[in-house]
Amino acid sequence: MDAEKASIQERENAAHTAEAASAITQRTPEEWNALFDGKDEAWHKSFDKKLLRKVDARLMPTLVIMYLLNFLDRSNLAQARQGTLEEDLGMRGTDFNLATSIFFVGYLLMQLPSNLLLTRVRPSLYLSASCCLWGVVSTCNAAADSFAHLVVIRFFLGFVEAPFFPGAVFLMSSWYTRAELTRRIAYLYAGNALANMFGGLLGAAILGGLEGDHGIAGWRWLFIIEGVAAIAFSFVAMFVLPNYPHTTKWLSEDEQAYAAWRLVQDINEVDMYRDKSMWDGVKMAVGDYRLYLFVLMQHVSLISQTFQYFFPTIVGTLGYGRINTLWLTAPAWFVTFLVSLLVTWSSARTKDRSLHIVCLMIIAAIGNAIATGSTNVGARYFAMYLMPAGAVSAYQIIVSWVANSFPRPLVKRSACIAIANMIGNTATIYGSYMYPASSGPQYIPGGSANAIICLVVAILALVLRFIHIKENKKLEQAEMEDSKYGGKEHTSEVPDKRAFGFRYIY
């Protein structure tokens, strides 16, 4: 009898949540709350765990591998430089710096339109198509016969890679709560460290083992192998990636309803999909003064990371030869990967963003100072662990902080993520010239500037911390005043106004 009652109760619950799913986009926050608020904590915990396990299994491994391939194809020029790339293409002086920076010109031109378009196109198709295109363009690097060819190919590589990272962050923010998003973005951005680590290992293996095979230079094999890998995986991603909770067919109706409801519980606002135009989202984004500070912080943070596009060259100043240099880069990036996971767990657990960023950027500043000021090989190699572990790990927290500081509506969040990523990445256009070959082996101008830049990022994080504390006090005061009149403000009539109970994370 108990089993029969439980079965009846399960059917009633399923009918209840199926009804919720069919009318989910028409419900107010109060109606959404009523659907699931009657369930006990054990039911919520069990259902939430089951749903997250299902979403994580498809979304996160796919995005992490895609980002690994994305960054691998973006940064493999640094590994190719350790082969005969420059000699074969007749590159001199700052030609390598130009080839690095031109990528970001194409990347920036496509950034905002691509992310706004994502709100109107199926994400699974859009992101996988981007992956296929960057694999094709990256493979074309192997056919370059001159420096001019390389520059043109790198420009278009940036153009087709632009949709992925902000699009991936945007897609995740449509599935995860703010606390969950921070951790998942860290897993995604961990693909950066993994790409650099595997890039060094693959570069060493390919340049050392395939040089001259079938009459093809090792650096050309590098572009061919890594480009083809991206093309192949894009077809897998097309069928594995989910879309939005309301449109994901591999979720049951009750799971669709609950996936949307849990986001409402986190932010107290409905994430409507087509109630506002893309232009409305841009106007709301540029009207929020906090966006400009986040853009500045993300921009300066990316300047502090420009060393990674020259990392094999910087490590090469230790004097261990080209192939051994690539092997030596891998441990530093593996440590960065572990640190990024640790600080993400800590940031999510403590619900802190700013203080974590401050501490990590101080570590990066110390690394830059040691690498610049010391001639001791051991000390300089140790500094090359500190530089990425601090700067790269801090950036992944910054990216997630941007995403969950502009929660609703969807078009505003999309615009904010795209604008921050677009303007932030202009840093690499000129940051690529911070490490000219003529300033080696200590790269004193670039390293000194980077040490200062790291401290600027830390200061901006503290400024935003105090701004969010101030904004939260304003929200609390407004709620106290509303309660005097017996009402609670919601966002149904004022689309960019925060809902009752919302607080910014700092």
Side-chain angles (χ1 to χ4, degrees), residues 319-333:
Y320 288 101
R322 290 188 170 190
I323 302 303
N324 285 335
T325 289
L326 291 173
W327 292 116
L328 287 172
T329 63
W333 288 109

Side-chain angles (χ1 to χ4, degrees), residues 57-352:
R58 282 180 174 256
L59 183 60
M60 292 313 304
T62 308
L63 290 181
V64 168
I65 294 173
M66 289 178 78
Y67 188 55
L68 187 154
L69 294 168
N70 179 279
F71 204 86
L72 204 59
D73 284 350
R74 177 189 311 188
S75 61
N76 54 15
L77 194 65
Q79 283 85 42
R81 190 185 194 185
Q82 300 302 304
T84 60
L85 171 76
E86 291 180 299
E87 292 88 341
D88 291 349
L89 300 185
M91 296 169 63
R92 298 178 181 84
T94 59
D95 284 352
F96 182 83
N97 304 78
L98 175 59
T100 300
S101 66
I102 196 67
F103 167 91
F104 291 94
V105 176
Y107 188 86
L108 296 172
L109 289 175
M110 191 57 180
Q111 192 73 196
L112 182 57
S114 70
N115 214 44
L116 291 176
L117 183 60
L118 181 62
T119 64
R120 297 297 188 265
V121 181
R122 230 175 32 176
S124 58
L125 178 62
Y126 195 55
L127 295 180
S128 57
S130 173
C131 181
C132 183
L133 286 173
W134 84 59
V136 170
V137 176
S138 182
T139 305
C140 289
N141 280 301
D145 287 329
S146 67
F147 173 62
H149 289 167
L150 181 66
V151 168
V152 172
I153 294 168
R154 291 283 299 175
F155 171 82
F156 284 105
L157 181 62
F159 200 80
V160 295
E161 281 198 14
F164 178 71
F165 187 71
V169 172
F170 168 73
L171 179 59
M172 288 192 297
S173 68
S174 300
W175 283 95
Y176 297 115
T177 65
R178 288 176 294 168
E180 293 163 353
L181 181 64
T182 302
R183 194 176 300 118
R184 267 70 176 187
I185 286 180
Y187 297 152
L188 173 67
Y189 203 71
N192 181 318
L194 290 175
N196 278 297
M197 182 182 75
F198 284 118
L201 297 175
L202 285 172
I206 293 170
L207 295 178
L210 292 178
E211 180 64 45
D213 272 23
H214 300 286
I216 299 174
W219 65 268
R220 296 185 190 274
W221 279 118
L222 183 68
F223 287 123
I224 292 170
I225 292 171
E226 294 180 357
V228 169
I231 296 170
F233 192 76
S234 68
F235 291 98
V236 176
M238 186 183 301
F239 295 101
V240 176
L241 274 180
N243 294 300
Y244 301 115
H246 299 146
T247 59
T248 299
K249 294 181 180 179
W250 47 264
L251 288 180
S252 64
E253 289 185 333
D254 56 332
E255 288 171 333
Q256 289 180 14
Y258 194 81
W261 175 84
R262 61 196 295 276
L263 294 181
V264 175
Q265 288 295 102
D266 180 53
I267 310 237
N268 290 336
E269 298 174 42
V270 182
D271 202 359
M272 304 306 288
Y273 292 92
R274 296 187 180 271
D275 58 342
K276 295 293 174 185
S277 70
M278 293 185 291
W279 179 240
D280 288 331
V282 173
K283 288 191 291 185
M284 284 186 282
V286 298
D288 192 326
Y289 77 98
R290 295 175 305 116
L291 175 64
Y292 301 97
L293 287 170
F294 274 109
V295 166
L296 179 60
M297 181 170 63
Q298 188 162 338
H299 179 88
V300 179
S301 174
L302 280 164
I303 298 176
S304 74
Q305 297 178 71
T306 51
F307 67 84
Q308 63 186 307
Y309 298 102
F310 305 88
F311 200 62
T313 303
I314 295 172
V315 176
T317 63
L318 299 177
Y320 288 101
R322 290 188 170 190
I323 302 303
N324 285 335
T325 289
L326 291 173
W327 292 116
L328 287 172
T329 63
W333 288 109
F334 181 67
V335 169
T336 298
F337 170 69
L338 296 179
V339 170
S340 68
L341 296 182
L342 176 63
V343 298
T344 299
W345 172 82
S346 175
S347 176
R349 186 176 181 84
T350 60
K351 296 183 179 180
D352 170 82

